Tab-separated table of all heavy atoms in Angstrom:
chain	number	residue	atom	x	y	z
A	23	SER	N	14.190	-237.021	143.840
A	23	SER	CA	13.476	-237.916	144.640
A	23	SER	C	14.118	-239.256	145.062
A	23	SER	O	13.818	-239.971	145.900
A	23	SER	CB	12.099	-238.239	144.007
A	23	SER	OG	12.391	-238.827	142.732
A	24	VAL	N	15.254	-239.579	144.251
A	24	VAL	CA	15.975	-240.899	144.493
A	24	VAL	C	17.392	-240.645	144.909
A	24	VAL	O	18.043	-241.701	145.065
A	24	VAL	CB	15.806	-241.910	143.294
A	24	VAL	CG1	14.356	-242.058	142.881
A	24	VAL	CG2	16.533	-241.202	142.132
A	25	LYS	N	17.881	-239.454	144.863
A	25	LYS	CA	19.148	-239.150	145.281
A	25	LYS	C	19.525	-239.689	146.547
A	25	LYS	O	18.820	-239.594	147.507
A	25	LYS	CB	19.565	-237.686	145.245
A	25	LYS	CG	19.919	-237.207	143.851
A	25	LYS	CD	20.384	-235.678	143.866
A	25	LYS	CE	20.997	-235.247	142.651
A	25	LYS	NZ	20.030	-235.141	141.537
A	26	GLY	N	20.739	-240.376	146.640
A	26	GLY	CA	21.190	-240.919	147.937
A	26	GLY	C	20.584	-242.343	148.165
A	26	GLY	O	20.922	-243.017	149.004
A	27	ARG	N	19.520	-242.710	147.370
A	27	ARG	CA	18.862	-244.050	147.646
A	27	ARG	C	19.192	-244.994	146.387
A	27	ARG	O	19.213	-246.210	146.588
A	27	ARG	CB	17.432	-243.933	147.758
A	27	ARG	CG	17.114	-243.011	149.031
A	27	ARG	CD	15.530	-243.112	149.299
A	27	ARG	NE	14.719	-242.631	148.304
A	27	ARG	CZ	13.816	-243.281	147.604
A	27	ARG	NH1	13.656	-244.527	147.955
A	27	ARG	NH2	13.170	-242.705	146.602
A	28	PHE	N	19.104	-244.423	145.170
A	28	PHE	CA	19.145	-245.215	143.884
A	28	PHE	C	20.631	-244.898	143.370
A	28	PHE	O	21.142	-243.846	143.304
A	28	PHE	CB	18.175	-244.858	142.967
A	28	PHE	CG	16.816	-245.208	143.327
A	28	PHE	CD1	16.434	-245.775	144.616
A	28	PHE	CD2	15.752	-245.221	142.355
A	28	PHE	CE1	15.094	-246.098	144.874
A	28	PHE	CE2	14.416	-245.507	142.628
A	28	PHE	CZ	14.124	-246.009	143.943
A	29	THR	N	21.211	-245.989	142.691
A	29	THR	CA	22.527	-245.841	142.023
A	29	THR	C	22.391	-246.565	140.618
A	29	THR	O	21.928	-247.779	140.617
A	29	THR	CB	23.554	-246.484	142.853
A	29	THR	OG1	23.716	-245.847	144.137
A	29	THR	CG2	24.940	-246.281	142.168
A	30	ILE	N	22.768	-245.802	139.574
A	30	ILE	CA	22.850	-246.376	138.265
A	30	ILE	C	24.200	-246.725	138.000
A	30	ILE	O	25.188	-245.988	138.239
A	30	ILE	CB	22.102	-245.475	137.324
A	30	ILE	CG1	22.051	-246.101	135.822
A	30	ILE	CG2	22.997	-244.100	137.196
A	30	ILE	CD1	21.407	-245.343	134.888
A	31	TYR	N	24.377	-247.856	137.341
A	31	TYR	CA	25.749	-248.147	136.866
A	31	TYR	C	25.559	-249.159	135.598
A	31	TYR	O	24.612	-249.708	135.414
A	31	TYR	CB	26.648	-248.836	137.932
A	31	TYR	CG	26.013	-250.077	138.561
A	31	TYR	CD1	26.407	-251.387	138.072
A	31	TYR	CD2	25.026	-249.949	139.540
A	31	TYR	CE1	25.878	-252.483	138.705
A	31	TYR	CE2	24.488	-251.151	140.167
A	31	TYR	CZ	24.894	-252.386	139.629
A	31	TYR	OH	24.366	-253.612	140.265
A	32	ARG	N	26.699	-249.118	134.843
A	32	ARG	CA	26.596	-249.858	133.626
A	32	ARG	C	27.805	-250.845	133.532
A	32	ARG	O	28.899	-250.670	134.079
A	32	ARG	CB	26.474	-248.971	132.360
A	32	ARG	CG	27.588	-248.135	132.220
A	32	ARG	CD	27.368	-246.895	131.310
A	32	ARG	NE	27.045	-247.280	129.985
A	32	ARG	CZ	26.497	-246.440	129.088
A	32	ARG	NH1	26.177	-245.195	129.428
A	32	ARG	NH2	26.364	-246.923	127.858
A	33	ASP	N	27.587	-251.886	132.764
A	33	ASP	CA	28.675	-252.827	132.570
A	33	ASP	C	28.759	-253.054	130.955
A	33	ASP	O	27.955	-253.745	130.359
A	33	ASP	CB	28.329	-254.294	133.038
A	33	ASP	CG	29.490	-255.194	132.992
A	33	ASP	OD1	30.269	-255.158	131.990
A	33	ASP	OD2	29.555	-256.030	133.733
A	34	ASN	N	29.686	-252.330	130.335
A	34	ASN	CA	29.659	-252.330	128.913
A	34	ASN	C	30.186	-253.811	128.343
A	34	ASN	O	29.695	-254.022	127.198
A	34	ASN	CB	30.729	-251.304	128.313
A	34	ASN	CG	30.182	-249.897	128.516
A	34	ASN	OD1	29.041	-249.690	128.707
A	34	ASN	ND2	31.167	-248.982	128.577
A	35	ALA	N	30.836	-254.488	129.082
A	35	ALA	CA	31.136	-255.832	128.659
A	35	ALA	C	29.961	-256.630	128.469
A	35	ALA	O	29.873	-257.570	127.643
A	35	ALA	CB	32.234	-256.396	129.600
A	36	LYS	N	28.897	-256.424	129.293
A	36	LYS	CA	27.651	-257.258	129.199
A	36	LYS	C	26.638	-256.405	128.459
A	36	LYS	O	25.500	-256.909	128.359
A	36	LYS	CB	27.188	-257.521	130.504
A	36	LYS	CG	28.097	-258.474	131.429
A	36	LYS	CD	27.576	-258.807	132.774
A	36	LYS	CE	28.429	-259.746	133.497
A	36	LYS	NZ	27.882	-260.086	134.805
A	37	ASN	N	26.957	-255.244	128.004
A	37	ASN	CA	25.974	-254.383	127.246
A	37	ASN	C	24.789	-254.171	128.068
A	37	ASN	O	23.591	-254.415	127.735
A	37	ASN	CB	25.651	-254.977	125.984
A	37	ASN	CG	25.116	-253.904	124.962
A	37	ASN	OD1	25.350	-252.695	125.135
A	37	ASN	ND2	24.428	-254.408	123.953
A	38	ALA	N	24.869	-253.810	129.414
A	38	ALA	CA	23.823	-253.762	130.388
A	38	ALA	C	23.983	-252.475	131.326
A	38	ALA	O	25.101	-251.937	131.483
A	38	ALA	CB	23.939	-254.948	131.210
A	39	VAL	N	22.875	-252.181	131.827
A	39	VAL	CA	22.719	-251.023	132.712
A	39	VAL	C	21.854	-251.525	133.858
A	39	VAL	O	20.994	-252.389	133.802
A	39	VAL	CB	22.223	-249.651	132.097
A	39	VAL	CG1	20.775	-249.906	131.732
A	39	VAL	CG2	22.324	-248.584	133.027
A	40	TYR	N	22.206	-251.096	135.136
A	40	TYR	CA	21.541	-251.587	136.232
A	40	TYR	C	21.078	-250.289	137.193
A	40	TYR	O	21.652	-249.289	137.059
A	40	TYR	CB	22.425	-252.431	137.063
A	40	TYR	CG	23.183	-253.437	136.385
A	40	TYR	CD1	24.464	-253.240	135.701
A	40	TYR	CD2	22.567	-254.793	136.439
A	40	TYR	CE1	24.931	-254.308	134.886
A	40	TYR	CE2	23.099	-255.756	135.610
A	40	TYR	CZ	24.336	-255.646	134.955
A	40	TYR	OH	24.900	-256.651	134.245
A	41	LEU	N	20.188	-250.705	138.006
A	41	LEU	CA	19.629	-249.604	138.951
A	41	LEU	C	19.555	-250.226	140.343
A	41	LEU	O	18.671	-251.158	140.408
A	41	LEU	CB	18.236	-249.111	138.434
A	41	LEU	CG	17.715	-247.914	139.467
A	41	LEU	CD1	18.548	-246.581	139.159
A	41	LEU	CD2	16.275	-247.582	138.998
A	42	ARG	N	20.388	-249.844	141.145
A	42	ARG	CA	20.428	-250.421	142.592
A	42	ARG	C	19.447	-249.441	143.331
A	42	ARG	O	19.728	-248.289	143.372
A	42	ARG	CB	21.767	-250.458	143.140
A	42	ARG	CG	21.852	-250.935	144.736
A	42	ARG	CD	21.395	-252.213	144.910
A	42	ARG	NE	21.483	-252.661	146.315
A	42	ARG	CZ	20.951	-253.770	146.767
A	42	ARG	NH1	20.349	-254.639	145.928
A	42	ARG	NH2	21.098	-254.111	148.060
A	43	MET	N	18.433	-249.973	143.982
A	43	MET	CA	17.539	-249.215	144.673
A	43	MET	C	17.566	-249.700	146.199
A	43	MET	O	17.222	-250.783	146.483
A	43	MET	CB	16.026	-249.442	144.099
A	43	MET	CG	15.996	-249.033	142.667
A	43	MET	SD	14.346	-249.199	141.937
A	43	MET	CE	14.063	-250.943	142.099
A	44	ASN	N	17.943	-248.801	147.029
A	44	ASN	CA	17.845	-248.950	148.472
A	44	ASN	C	16.860	-248.062	149.211
A	44	ASN	O	16.331	-247.070	148.545
A	44	ASN	CB	19.288	-248.574	149.034
A	44	ASN	CG	20.391	-249.525	148.516
A	44	ASN	OD1	20.064	-250.761	148.266
A	44	ASN	ND2	21.439	-248.986	148.395
A	45	SER	N	16.519	-248.428	150.424
A	45	SER	CA	15.573	-247.675	151.166
A	45	SER	C	14.293	-247.292	150.427
A	45	SER	O	13.897	-246.162	150.324
A	45	SER	CB	16.229	-246.311	151.629
A	45	SER	OG	17.386	-246.512	152.383
A	46	LEU	N	13.736	-248.332	149.831
A	46	LEU	CA	12.588	-248.135	148.997
A	46	LEU	C	11.416	-247.680	149.833
A	46	LEU	O	11.262	-248.049	150.930
A	46	LEU	CB	12.283	-249.476	148.279
A	46	LEU	CG	13.114	-249.706	147.047
A	46	LEU	CD1	13.089	-251.233	146.666
A	46	LEU	CD2	12.801	-248.771	145.926
A	47	LYS	N	10.596	-246.828	149.112
A	47	LYS	CA	9.426	-246.268	149.729
A	47	LYS	C	8.138	-246.551	148.943
A	47	LYS	O	8.285	-246.883	147.713
A	47	LYS	CB	9.541	-244.691	149.760
A	47	LYS	CG	10.803	-244.153	150.525
A	47	LYS	CD	10.785	-242.730	150.336
A	47	LYS	CE	12.212	-242.062	150.974
A	47	LYS	NZ	12.120	-240.617	150.776
A	48	PRO	N	7.042	-246.586	149.559
A	48	PRO	CA	5.847	-246.939	148.733
A	48	PRO	C	5.612	-246.008	147.578
A	48	PRO	O	5.125	-246.477	146.394
A	48	PRO	CB	4.618	-246.675	149.801
A	48	PRO	CG	5.273	-247.008	151.137
A	48	PRO	CD	6.766	-246.382	150.922
A	49	GLU	N	5.998	-244.795	147.637
A	49	GLU	CA	6.012	-243.896	146.459
A	49	GLU	C	6.879	-244.247	145.285
A	49	GLU	O	6.888	-243.528	144.213
A	49	GLU	CB	6.175	-242.356	146.837
A	49	GLU	CG	7.464	-242.140	147.646
A	49	GLU	CD	7.187	-242.009	149.131
A	49	GLU	OE1	6.388	-243.007	149.734
A	49	GLU	OE2	7.720	-241.246	149.825
A	50	ASP	N	7.788	-245.226	145.566
A	50	ASP	CA	8.687	-245.749	144.465
A	50	ASP	C	7.914	-246.830	143.565
A	50	ASP	O	8.442	-247.195	142.617
A	50	ASP	CB	9.891	-246.360	145.040
A	50	ASP	CG	10.841	-245.304	145.785
A	50	ASP	OD1	11.013	-244.249	145.178
A	50	ASP	OD2	11.293	-245.633	146.865
A	51	THR	N	6.745	-247.061	143.960
A	51	THR	CA	5.960	-248.136	143.224
A	51	THR	C	5.615	-247.573	141.881
A	51	THR	O	5.040	-246.514	141.774
A	51	THR	CB	4.670	-248.449	144.015
A	51	THR	OG1	5.018	-249.096	145.250
A	51	THR	CG2	3.764	-249.383	143.135
A	52	ALA	N	6.123	-248.418	140.856
A	52	ALA	CA	5.840	-247.928	139.525
A	52	ALA	C	6.374	-249.072	138.526
A	52	ALA	O	6.998	-249.999	138.940
A	52	ALA	CB	6.587	-246.680	139.195
A	53	VAL	N	5.958	-248.852	137.226
A	53	VAL	CA	6.693	-249.775	136.212
A	53	VAL	C	7.946	-249.063	135.807
A	53	VAL	O	7.964	-247.782	135.590
A	53	VAL	CB	5.772	-249.887	135.066
A	53	VAL	CG1	6.534	-250.715	134.021
A	53	VAL	CG2	4.539	-250.687	135.496
A	54	TYR	N	9.046	-249.638	135.952
A	54	TYR	CA	10.366	-249.073	135.635
A	54	TYR	C	10.809	-249.512	134.310
A	54	TYR	O	10.823	-250.723	133.797
A	54	TYR	CB	11.469	-249.518	136.682
A	54	TYR	CG	11.259	-248.745	138.017
A	54	TYR	CD1	10.219	-249.090	138.775
A	54	TYR	CD2	12.183	-247.879	138.294
A	54	TYR	CE1	10.050	-248.367	140.026
A	54	TYR	CE2	12.020	-247.147	139.533
A	54	TYR	CZ	10.967	-247.404	140.391
A	54	TYR	OH	10.808	-246.676	141.556
A	55	TYR	N	11.236	-248.456	133.408
A	55	TYR	CA	11.634	-248.832	132.013
A	55	TYR	C	13.123	-248.264	131.879
A	55	TYR	O	13.538	-247.290	132.296
A	55	TYR	CB	10.828	-247.854	131.137
A	55	TYR	CG	9.315	-248.159	131.094
A	55	TYR	CD1	8.421	-247.463	132.002
A	55	TYR	CD2	8.829	-249.104	130.283
A	55	TYR	CE1	7.090	-247.771	132.035
A	55	TYR	CE2	7.423	-249.438	130.313
A	55	TYR	CZ	6.557	-248.709	131.162
A	55	TYR	OH	5.235	-249.050	131.145
A	56	CYS	N	13.625	-249.158	131.184
A	56	CYS	CA	15.095	-249.016	130.721
A	56	CYS	C	15.065	-248.196	129.229
A	56	CYS	O	14.237	-248.533	128.530
A	56	CYS	CB	15.880	-250.261	130.580
A	56	CYS	SG	17.510	-250.205	129.824
A	57	ALA	N	16.025	-247.362	129.172
A	57	ALA	CA	16.100	-246.568	127.917
A	57	ALA	C	17.575	-246.391	127.468
A	57	ALA	O	18.432	-246.280	128.276
A	57	ALA	CB	15.414	-245.254	128.047
A	58	ALA	N	17.717	-246.312	125.973
A	58	ALA	CA	19.076	-246.240	125.586
A	58	ALA	C	18.992	-245.285	124.397
A	58	ALA	O	18.076	-245.348	123.669
A	58	ALA	CB	19.628	-247.466	125.131
A	59	ALA	N	20.129	-244.511	124.316
A	59	ALA	CA	20.115	-243.472	123.147
A	59	ALA	C	21.135	-243.872	122.116
A	59	ALA	O	22.055	-244.532	122.369
A	59	ALA	CB	20.600	-242.117	123.766
A	60	SER	N	20.991	-243.506	120.907
A	60	SER	CA	21.849	-243.778	119.718
A	60	SER	C	22.605	-242.577	119.400
A	60	SER	O	23.361	-242.574	118.321
A	60	SER	CB	21.086	-244.342	118.571
A	60	SER	OG	20.210	-243.326	118.181
A	61	ARG	N	22.617	-241.594	120.297
A	61	ARG	CA	23.355	-240.307	119.968
A	61	ARG	C	23.608	-239.737	121.281
A	61	ARG	O	23.028	-239.982	122.332
A	61	ARG	CB	22.635	-239.397	119.005
A	61	ARG	CG	21.250	-238.839	119.648
A	61	ARG	CD	20.311	-238.483	118.610
A	61	ARG	NE	19.075	-237.989	119.143
A	61	ARG	CZ	18.108	-238.729	119.692
A	61	ARG	NH1	18.259	-240.040	119.615
A	61	ARG	NH2	17.015	-238.233	120.171
A	62	GLY	N	24.558	-238.703	121.359
A	62	GLY	CA	24.603	-237.820	122.532
A	62	GLY	C	23.567	-237.050	122.874
A	62	GLY	O	22.704	-236.729	122.041
A	63	ALA	N	23.341	-236.553	124.204
A	63	ALA	CA	22.226	-235.801	124.524
A	63	ALA	C	22.644	-234.898	125.598
A	63	ALA	O	23.461	-235.067	126.509
A	63	ALA	CB	21.219	-236.709	125.107
A	64	THR	N	22.104	-233.634	125.595
A	64	THR	CA	22.465	-232.653	126.601
A	64	THR	C	21.523	-232.912	127.767
A	64	THR	O	21.862	-232.474	128.935
A	64	THR	CB	22.355	-231.195	126.021
A	64	THR	OG1	20.974	-231.219	125.385
A	64	THR	CG2	23.303	-231.049	124.933
A	65	ASN	N	20.197	-233.280	127.637
A	65	ASN	CA	19.308	-233.482	128.677
A	65	ASN	C	18.875	-234.922	128.810
A	65	ASN	O	17.984	-235.423	128.149
A	65	ASN	CB	18.155	-232.553	128.458
A	65	ASN	CG	17.059	-232.546	129.648
A	65	ASN	OD1	17.383	-233.313	130.696
A	65	ASN	ND2	15.935	-232.147	129.458
A	66	VAL	N	19.720	-235.699	129.607
A	66	VAL	CA	19.334	-237.126	129.702
A	66	VAL	C	18.156	-237.348	130.562
A	66	VAL	O	17.748	-238.541	130.652
A	66	VAL	CB	20.573	-237.898	130.252
A	66	VAL	CG1	21.794	-237.849	129.268
A	66	VAL	CG2	20.970	-237.258	131.676
A	67	ALA	N	17.724	-236.361	131.232
A	67	ALA	CA	16.392	-236.546	131.986
A	67	ALA	C	15.143	-236.422	131.193
A	67	ALA	O	14.122	-236.769	131.591
A	67	ALA	CB	16.354	-235.501	132.987
């Protein structure tokens, strides 16, 4: 639903992750949550 419009990227020096959202639609309205894992994962979705 967000492919081609949203881009995720991280800055390890700042210990941060970002979400660039372009071409926003009303259906993108939501509370957005950041999440981080303490181990590897096969299904990051």
Side-chain angles (χ1 to χ4, degrees):
S23 59
V24 306
K25 271 188 172 65
R27 301 188 299 122
F28 290 12
T29 303
I30 186 171
Y31 57 100
R32 62 199 293 169
D33 185 340
N34 288 338
K36 295 183 178 180
N37 206 21
V39 64
Y40 305 89
L41 185 69
R42 174 65 179 175
M43 305 185 294
N44 294 327
S45 303
L46 282 160
K47 305 174 181 179
E49 50 264 43
D50 295 319
T51 295
V53 177
Y54 283 70
Y55 297 92
C56 171
S60 61
R61 61 201 185 283
T64 54
N65 182 10
V66 295

